[in-house]
PDB file of all heavy atoms in Angstrom:
ATOM      1  N   VAL A  16      -1.879  26.390   3.275  1.00 69.00           N
ATOM      2  CA  VAL A  16      -1.058  27.289   4.083  1.00 69.00           C
ATOM      3  C   VAL A  16       0.385  27.278   3.582  1.00 69.00           C
ATOM      4  O   VAL A  16       1.017  28.323   3.427  1.00 69.00           O
ATOM      5  CB  VAL A  16      -1.128  26.913   5.580  1.00 69.00           C
ATOM      6  CG1 VAL A  16      -0.095  27.671   6.388  1.00 69.00           C
ATOM      7  CG2 VAL A  16      -2.527  27.187   6.119  1.00 69.00           C
ATOM      8  N   ILE A  17       0.911  26.096   3.302  1.00 72.00           N
ATOM      9  CA  ILE A  17       2.276  25.976   2.811  1.00 72.00           C
ATOM     10  C   ILE A  17       2.407  26.640   1.437  1.00 72.00           C
ATOM     11  O   ILE A  17       3.394  27.312   1.144  1.00 72.00           O
ATOM     12  CB  ILE A  17       2.731  24.503   2.752  1.00 72.00           C
ATOM     13  CG1 ILE A  17       2.717  23.889   4.156  1.00 72.00           C
ATOM     14  CG2 ILE A  17       4.089  24.364   2.090  1.00 72.00           C
ATOM     15  CD1 ILE A  17       3.583  24.575   5.180  1.00 72.00           C
ATOM     16  N   ALA A  18       1.391  26.475   0.585  1.00 75.00           N
ATOM     17  CA  ALA A  18       1.436  27.053  -0.762  1.00 75.00           C
ATOM     18  C   ALA A  18       1.519  28.573  -0.722  1.00 75.00           C
ATOM     19  O   ALA A  18       2.064  29.193  -1.635  1.00 75.00           O
ATOM     20  CB  ALA A  18       0.216  26.617  -1.567  1.00 75.00           C
ATOM     21  N   THR A  19       1.014  29.163   0.326  1.00 77.00           N
ATOM     22  CA  THR A  19       1.067  30.621   0.439  1.00 77.00           C
ATOM     23  C   THR A  19       2.276  31.087   1.252  1.00 77.00           C
ATOM     24  O   THR A  19       2.388  32.263   1.560  1.00 77.00           O
ATOM     25  CB  THR A  19      -0.231  31.173   1.074  1.00 77.00           C
ATOM     26  OG1 THR A  19      -0.376  30.612   2.382  1.00 77.00           O
ATOM     27  CG2 THR A  19      -1.439  30.848   0.224  1.00 77.00           C
ATOM     28  N   SER A  20       3.162  30.146   1.579  1.00 73.00           N
ATOM     29  CA  SER A  20       4.361  30.511   2.337  1.00 73.00           C
ATOM     30  C   SER A  20       5.327  31.284   1.445  1.00 73.00           C
ATOM     31  O   SER A  20       5.128  31.414   0.241  1.00 73.00           O
ATOM     32  CB  SER A  20       5.045  29.264   2.894  1.00 73.00           C
ATOM     33  OG  SER A  20       5.650  28.527   1.843  1.00 73.00           O
ATOM     34  N   GLN A  21       6.403  31.750   2.030  1.00 75.00           N
ATOM     35  CA  GLN A  21       7.366  32.571   1.296  1.00 75.00           C
ATOM     36  C   GLN A  21       8.161  31.769   0.273  1.00 75.00           C
ATOM     37  O   GLN A  21       8.640  32.326  -0.706  1.00 75.00           O
ATOM     38  CB  GLN A  21       8.316  33.254   2.279  1.00 75.00           C
ATOM     39  CG  GLN A  21       7.617  34.287   3.136  1.00 75.00           C
ATOM     40  CD  GLN A  21       8.581  34.944   4.098  1.00 75.00           C
ATOM     41  OE1 GLN A  21       9.772  34.695   4.088  1.00 75.00           O
ATOM     42  NE2 GLN A  21       8.056  35.805   4.959  1.00 75.00           N
ATOM     43  N   GLN A  22       8.321  30.469   0.483  1.00 73.00           N
ATOM     44  CA  GLN A  22       9.122  29.645  -0.430  1.00 73.00           C
ATOM     45  C   GLN A  22       8.399  28.343  -0.794  1.00 73.00           C
ATOM     46  O   GLN A  22       8.922  27.260  -0.562  1.00 73.00           O
ATOM     47  CB  GLN A  22      10.470  29.316   0.204  1.00 73.00           C
ATOM     48  CG  GLN A  22      11.294  30.535   0.511  1.00 73.00           C
ATOM     49  CD  GLN A  22      12.592  30.156   1.212  1.00 73.00           C
ATOM     50  OE1 GLN A  22      12.702  29.114   1.818  1.00 73.00           O
ATOM     51  NE2 GLN A  22      13.578  31.019   1.093  1.00 73.00           N
ATOM     52  N   PRO A  23       7.228  28.421  -1.407  1.00 73.00           N
ATOM     53  CA  PRO A  23       6.485  27.186  -1.681  1.00 73.00           C
ATOM     54  C   PRO A  23       7.207  26.248  -2.650  1.00 73.00           C
ATOM     55  O   PRO A  23       7.140  25.031  -2.478  1.00 73.00           O
ATOM     56  CB  PRO A  23       5.162  27.677  -2.254  1.00 73.00           C
ATOM     57  CG  PRO A  23       5.449  29.044  -2.779  1.00 73.00           C
ATOM     58  CD  PRO A  23       6.522  29.595  -1.886  1.00 73.00           C
ATOM     59  N   LEU A  24       7.910  26.769  -3.651  1.00 75.00           N
ATOM     60  CA  LEU A  24       8.594  25.889  -4.602  1.00 75.00           C
ATOM     61  C   LEU A  24       9.778  25.178  -3.970  1.00 75.00           C
ATOM     62  O   LEU A  24      10.037  24.010  -4.248  1.00 75.00           O
ATOM     63  CB  LEU A  24       9.022  26.658  -5.846  1.00 75.00           C
ATOM     64  CG  LEU A  24       7.874  27.148  -6.727  1.00 75.00           C
ATOM     65  CD1 LEU A  24       8.413  27.933  -7.912  1.00 75.00           C
ATOM     66  CD2 LEU A  24       7.032  25.982  -7.204  1.00 75.00           C
ATOM     67  N   ALA A  25      10.487  25.877  -3.092  1.00 73.00           N
ATOM     68  CA  ALA A  25      11.609  25.241  -2.394  1.00 73.00           C
ATOM     69  C   ALA A  25      11.102  24.090  -1.532  1.00 73.00           C
ATOM     70  O   ALA A  25      11.719  23.025  -1.478  1.00 73.00           O
ATOM     71  CB  ALA A  25      12.349  26.263  -1.550  1.00 73.00           C
ATOM     72  N   ILE A  26       9.965  24.296  -0.891  1.00 71.00           N
ATOM     73  CA  ILE A  26       9.379  23.238  -0.066  1.00 71.00           C
ATOM     74  C   ILE A  26       8.911  22.087  -0.948  1.00 71.00           C
ATOM     75  O   ILE A  26       9.143  20.922  -0.639  1.00 71.00           O
ATOM     76  CB  ILE A  26       8.216  23.797   0.784  1.00 71.00           C
ATOM     77  CG1 ILE A  26       8.749  24.813   1.793  1.00 71.00           C
ATOM     78  CG2 ILE A  26       7.475  22.669   1.492  1.00 71.00           C
ATOM     79  CD1 ILE A  26       7.679  25.602   2.486  1.00 71.00           C
ATOM     80  N   LEU A  27       8.303  22.408  -2.080  1.00 72.00           N
ATOM     81  CA  LEU A  27       7.777  21.392  -2.988  1.00 72.00           C
ATOM     82  C   LEU A  27       8.871  20.489  -3.526  1.00 72.00           C
ATOM     83  O   LEU A  27       8.689  19.283  -3.650  1.00 72.00           O
ATOM     84  CB  LEU A  27       7.041  22.069  -4.154  1.00 72.00           C
ATOM     85  CG  LEU A  27       6.465  21.152  -5.222  1.00 72.00           C
ATOM     86  CD1 LEU A  27       5.367  20.271  -4.630  1.00 72.00           C
ATOM     87  CD2 LEU A  27       5.921  21.971  -6.368  1.00 72.00           C
ATOM     88  N   HIS A  28      10.015  21.044  -3.814  1.00 78.00           N
ATOM     89  CA  HIS A  28      11.110  20.269  -4.416  1.00 78.00           C
ATOM     90  C   HIS A  28      12.122  19.758  -3.397  1.00 78.00           C
ATOM     91  O   HIS A  28      13.116  19.139  -3.764  1.00 78.00           O
ATOM     92  CB  HIS A  28      11.815  21.107  -5.491  1.00 78.00           C
ATOM     93  CG  HIS A  28      10.919  21.407  -6.650  1.00 78.00           C
ATOM     94  ND1 HIS A  28      10.516  20.445  -7.541  1.00 78.00           N
ATOM     95  CD2 HIS A  28      10.314  22.550  -7.026  1.00 78.00           C
ATOM     96  CE1 HIS A  28       9.719  20.997  -8.442  1.00 78.00           C
ATOM     97  NE2 HIS A  28       9.575  22.272  -8.149  1.00 78.00           N
ATOM     98  N   GLY A  29      11.873  20.017  -2.135  1.00 76.00           N
ATOM     99  CA  GLY A  29      12.789  19.579  -1.088  1.00 76.00           C
ATOM    100  C   GLY A  29      12.302  18.310  -0.408  1.00 76.00           C
ATOM    101  O   GLY A  29      11.233  17.786  -0.723  1.00 76.00           O
ATOM    102  N   SER A  33      11.626  19.161   5.159  1.00 70.00           N
ATOM    103  CA  SER A  33      11.539  20.612   4.952  1.00 70.00           C
ATOM    104  C   SER A  33      10.111  21.102   5.129  1.00 70.00           C
ATOM    105  O   SER A  33       9.884  22.192   5.656  1.00 70.00           O
ATOM    106  CB  SER A  33      12.032  20.984   3.554  1.00 70.00           C
ATOM    107  OG  SER A  33      13.379  20.651   3.407  1.00 70.00           O
ATOM    108  N   LEU A  34       9.161  20.295   4.694  1.00 68.00           N
ATOM    109  CA  LEU A  34       7.747  20.649   4.862  1.00 68.00           C
ATOM    110  C   LEU A  34       7.397  20.684   6.345  1.00 68.00           C
ATOM    111  O   LEU A  34       6.741  21.602   6.817  1.00 68.00           O
ATOM    112  CB  LEU A  34       6.857  19.661   4.114  1.00 68.00           C
ATOM    113  CG  LEU A  34       5.364  19.885   4.241  1.00 68.00           C
ATOM    114  CD1 LEU A  34       4.978  21.260   3.721  1.00 68.00           C
ATOM    115  CD2 LEU A  34       4.615  18.816   3.490  1.00 68.00           C
ATOM    116  N   LYS A  36       9.433  21.265   8.762  1.00 67.00           N
ATOM    117  CA  LYS A  36      10.113  22.436   9.330  1.00 67.00           C
ATOM    118  C   LYS A  36       9.316  23.711   9.032  1.00 67.00           C
ATOM    119  O   LYS A  36       9.132  24.552   9.899  1.00 67.00           O
ATOM    120  CB  LYS A  36      11.532  22.549   8.765  1.00 67.00           C
ATOM    121  CG  LYS A  36      12.327  23.681   9.353  1.00 67.00           C
ATOM    122  CD  LYS A  36      13.740  23.712   8.799  1.00 67.00           C
ATOM    123  CE  LYS A  36      14.518  24.881   9.356  1.00 67.00           C
ATOM    124  NZ  LYS A  36      15.849  24.977   8.780  1.00 67.00           N
ATOM    125  N   ALA A  37       8.834  23.831   7.785  1.00 64.00           N
ATOM    126  CA  ALA A  37       8.028  24.997   7.414  1.00 64.00           C
ATOM    127  C   ALA A  37       6.736  25.031   8.218  1.00 64.00           C
ATOM    128  O   ALA A  37       6.298  26.094   8.667  1.00 64.00           O
ATOM    129  CB  ALA A  37       7.730  24.980   5.917  1.00 64.00           C
ATOM    130  N   GLN A  40       6.966  26.415  11.654  1.00 62.00           N
ATOM    131  CA  GLN A  40       7.103  27.864  11.723  1.00 62.00           C
ATOM    132  C   GLN A  40       5.808  28.583  11.363  1.00 62.00           C
ATOM    133  O   GLN A  40       5.763  29.798  11.313  1.00 62.00           O
ATOM    134  CB  GLN A  40       8.222  28.314  10.795  1.00 62.00           C
ATOM    135  CG  GLN A  40       9.563  27.765  11.215  1.00 62.00           C
ATOM    136  CD  GLN A  40      10.641  27.995  10.169  1.00 62.00           C
ATOM    137  OE1 GLN A  40      10.385  28.505   9.095  1.00 62.00           O
ATOM    138  NE2 GLN A  40      11.860  27.603  10.495  1.00 62.00           N
TER     139      GLN A  40
END
Side-chain angles (χ1 to χ4, degrees):
V16 170
I17 298 301
T19 60
S20 71
Q21 293 180 4
Q22 299 177 337
L24 292 178
I26 295 169
L27 178 65
H28 295 290
S33 297
L34 178 60
K36 183 178 178 183
Q40 297 170 356

